[in-house]
Short mmCIF file of all heavy atoms in Angstrom, two decimals:
data_model
loop_
_atom_site.label_atom_id
_atom_site.label_comp_id
_atom_site.label_asym_id
_atom_site.label_seq_id
_atom_site.Cartn_x
_atom_site.Cartn_y
_atom_site.Cartn_z
N GLY A 25 98.76 80.87 90.52
CA GLY A 25 97.74 80.75 89.46
C GLY A 25 97.40 82.09 88.84
O GLY A 25 98.30 82.86 88.48
N ASP A 26 96.09 82.40 88.77
CA ASP A 26 95.67 83.62 88.07
C ASP A 26 95.71 84.85 88.98
O ASP A 26 95.22 85.91 88.62
CB ASP A 26 94.26 83.44 87.50
CG ASP A 26 93.20 83.31 88.59
OD1 ASP A 26 93.58 83.22 89.80
OD2 ASP A 26 92.01 83.29 88.26
N HIS A 27 96.31 84.71 90.15
CA HIS A 27 96.42 85.86 91.06
C HIS A 27 97.22 86.97 90.37
O HIS A 27 98.25 86.69 89.74
CB HIS A 27 97.13 85.43 92.35
CG HIS A 27 96.94 86.38 93.49
ND1 HIS A 27 97.50 87.65 93.51
CD2 HIS A 27 96.27 86.27 94.65
CE1 HIS A 27 97.17 88.26 94.63
NE2 HIS A 27 96.41 87.44 95.34
N PRO A 28 96.76 88.23 90.49
CA PRO A 28 97.45 89.31 89.76
C PRO A 28 98.78 89.75 90.39
O PRO A 28 99.41 90.67 89.87
CB PRO A 28 96.43 90.45 89.80
CG PRO A 28 95.56 90.16 90.97
CD PRO A 28 95.54 88.68 91.14
N ALA A 29 99.19 89.12 91.49
CA ALA A 29 100.44 89.54 92.13
C ALA A 29 101.28 88.33 92.52
O ALA A 29 100.77 87.20 92.58
CB ALA A 29 100.12 90.37 93.38
N ARG A 30 102.54 88.60 92.77
CA ARG A 30 103.47 87.57 93.24
C ARG A 30 104.33 88.16 94.35
O ARG A 30 104.63 89.35 94.34
CB ARG A 30 104.41 87.11 92.11
CG ARG A 30 103.74 86.27 91.03
CD ARG A 30 103.33 84.89 91.57
NE ARG A 30 102.73 84.03 90.54
CZ ARG A 30 101.44 84.01 90.21
NH1 ARG A 30 100.59 84.81 90.80
NH2 ARG A 30 101.00 83.17 89.28
N ALA A 31 104.76 87.31 95.30
CA ALA A 31 105.65 87.77 96.36
C ALA A 31 107.05 87.95 95.79
O ALA A 31 107.64 87.00 95.26
CB ALA A 31 105.67 86.74 97.49
N ALA A 32 107.56 89.18 95.87
CA ALA A 32 108.90 89.45 95.31
C ALA A 32 109.97 89.35 96.38
O ALA A 32 111.10 88.94 96.09
CB ALA A 32 108.92 90.85 94.71
N VAL A 33 109.62 89.73 97.61
CA VAL A 33 110.62 89.72 98.68
C VAL A 33 109.90 89.80 100.03
O VAL A 33 108.82 90.41 100.13
CB VAL A 33 111.61 90.89 98.53
CG1 VAL A 33 110.96 92.25 98.63
CG2 VAL A 33 112.78 90.78 99.52
N VAL A 34 110.49 89.16 101.02
CA VAL A 34 110.03 89.31 102.41
C VAL A 34 111.14 90.04 103.15
O VAL A 34 112.30 89.61 103.12
CB VAL A 34 109.72 87.95 103.06
CG1 VAL A 34 109.51 88.08 104.57
CG2 VAL A 34 108.49 87.32 102.41
N ILE A 35 110.79 91.16 103.78
CA ILE A 35 111.79 91.98 104.47
C ILE A 35 111.45 92.05 105.95
O ILE A 35 110.30 92.32 106.33
CB ILE A 35 111.83 93.42 103.89
CG1 ILE A 35 112.06 93.39 102.38
CG2 ILE A 35 112.92 94.25 104.59
CD1 ILE A 35 111.95 94.76 101.70
N SER A 36 112.46 91.80 106.77
CA SER A 36 112.28 91.91 108.22
C SER A 36 113.17 93.01 108.77
O SER A 36 114.29 93.21 108.27
CB SER A 36 112.64 90.58 108.89
OG SER A 36 112.66 90.74 110.30
N ASN A 37 112.70 93.69 109.78
CA ASN A 37 113.53 94.71 110.44
C ASN A 37 114.34 94.10 111.57
O ASN A 37 115.04 94.83 112.28
CB ASN A 37 112.66 95.84 111.00
CG ASN A 37 111.77 95.36 112.12
OD1 ASN A 37 111.00 94.42 111.94
ND2 ASN A 37 111.87 95.97 113.29
N THR A 38 114.22 92.78 111.74
CA THR A 38 115.02 92.11 112.76
C THR A 38 115.53 90.77 112.21
O THR A 38 114.74 90.02 111.62
CB THR A 38 114.25 91.92 114.09
OG1 THR A 38 114.90 90.88 114.83
CG2 THR A 38 112.82 91.52 113.87
N PRO A 39 116.82 90.49 112.39
CA PRO A 39 117.37 89.25 111.84
C PRO A 39 116.80 88.01 112.52
O PRO A 39 116.87 86.91 111.96
CB PRO A 39 118.87 89.36 112.10
CG PRO A 39 119.11 90.56 112.93
CD PRO A 39 117.84 91.34 113.02
N GLN A 40 116.22 88.18 113.72
CA GLN A 40 115.70 87.03 114.47
C GLN A 40 114.30 86.59 114.02
O GLN A 40 113.79 85.57 114.50
CB GLN A 40 115.62 87.34 115.97
CG GLN A 40 116.95 87.30 116.69
CD GLN A 40 117.69 88.61 116.58
OE1 GLN A 40 117.09 89.67 116.44
NE2 GLN A 40 119.02 88.56 116.59
N ALA A 41 113.66 87.32 113.16
CA ALA A 41 112.27 87.00 112.82
C ALA A 41 112.15 85.57 112.26
O ALA A 41 112.80 85.24 111.26
CB ALA A 41 111.74 88.01 111.81
N ALA A 42 111.32 84.76 112.91
CA ALA A 42 111.17 83.37 112.48
C ALA A 42 110.58 83.30 111.07
O ALA A 42 110.80 82.32 110.34
CB ALA A 42 110.27 82.63 113.47
N GLY A 43 109.86 84.32 110.69
CA GLY A 43 109.25 84.34 109.36
C GLY A 43 110.25 84.32 108.21
O GLY A 43 109.91 83.91 107.10
N LEU A 44 111.48 84.75 108.47
CA LEU A 44 112.48 84.77 107.40
C LEU A 44 112.74 83.36 106.87
O LEU A 44 112.80 83.14 105.66
CB LEU A 44 113.79 85.38 107.91
CG LEU A 44 113.77 86.90 108.12
CD1 LEU A 44 115.00 87.35 108.90
CD2 LEU A 44 113.70 87.62 106.76
N GLN A 45 112.87 82.41 107.79
CA GLN A 45 113.11 81.02 107.37
C GLN A 45 111.88 80.46 106.66
O GLN A 45 111.98 79.74 105.66
CB GLN A 45 113.48 80.15 108.58
CG GLN A 45 113.89 78.72 108.23
CD GLN A 45 115.09 78.69 107.28
OE1 GLN A 45 116.10 79.34 107.53
NE2 GLN A 45 114.97 77.96 106.17
N ARG A 46 110.71 80.83 107.18
CA ARG A 46 109.47 80.34 106.56
C ARG A 46 109.37 80.86 105.12
O ARG A 46 108.92 80.14 104.22
CB ARG A 46 108.25 80.77 107.37
CG ARG A 46 108.29 80.21 108.79
CD ARG A 46 107.15 80.72 109.62
NE ARG A 46 105.95 79.92 109.46
CZ ARG A 46 104.81 80.15 110.09
NH1 ARG A 46 104.69 81.19 110.90
NH2 ARG A 46 103.77 79.37 109.91
N ALA A 47 109.78 82.10 104.90
CA ALA A 47 109.73 82.68 103.55
C ALA A 47 110.73 81.95 102.65
O ALA A 47 110.42 81.59 101.51
CB ALA A 47 110.06 84.17 103.61
N ALA A 48 111.93 81.73 103.18
CA ALA A 48 112.95 81.04 102.39
C ALA A 48 112.47 79.64 102.02
O ALA A 48 112.65 79.18 100.89
CB ALA A 48 114.26 80.97 103.18
N ASP A 49 111.81 78.96 102.97
CA ASP A 49 111.28 77.61 102.70
C ASP A 49 110.23 77.64 101.59
O ASP A 49 110.01 76.65 100.90
CB ASP A 49 110.66 77.01 103.97
CG ASP A 49 111.72 76.67 105.02
OD1 ASP A 49 112.92 76.63 104.67
OD2 ASP A 49 111.33 76.46 106.20
N LEU A 50 109.56 78.80 101.45
CA LEU A 50 108.54 78.93 100.39
C LEU A 50 109.17 79.41 99.08
O LEU A 50 108.47 79.66 98.10
CB LEU A 50 107.46 79.92 100.84
CG LEU A 50 106.52 79.42 101.94
CD1 LEU A 50 105.76 80.59 102.57
CD2 LEU A 50 105.54 78.40 101.38
#
Side-chain angles (χ1 to χ4, degrees):
D26 67 353
H27 197 291
R30 289 291 183 273
V33 62
V34 169
I35 305 173
S36 171
N37 66 304
T38 160
Q40 283 85 28
L44 287 168
Q45 186 59 50
R46 299 176 86 179
D49 290 345
L50 289 164

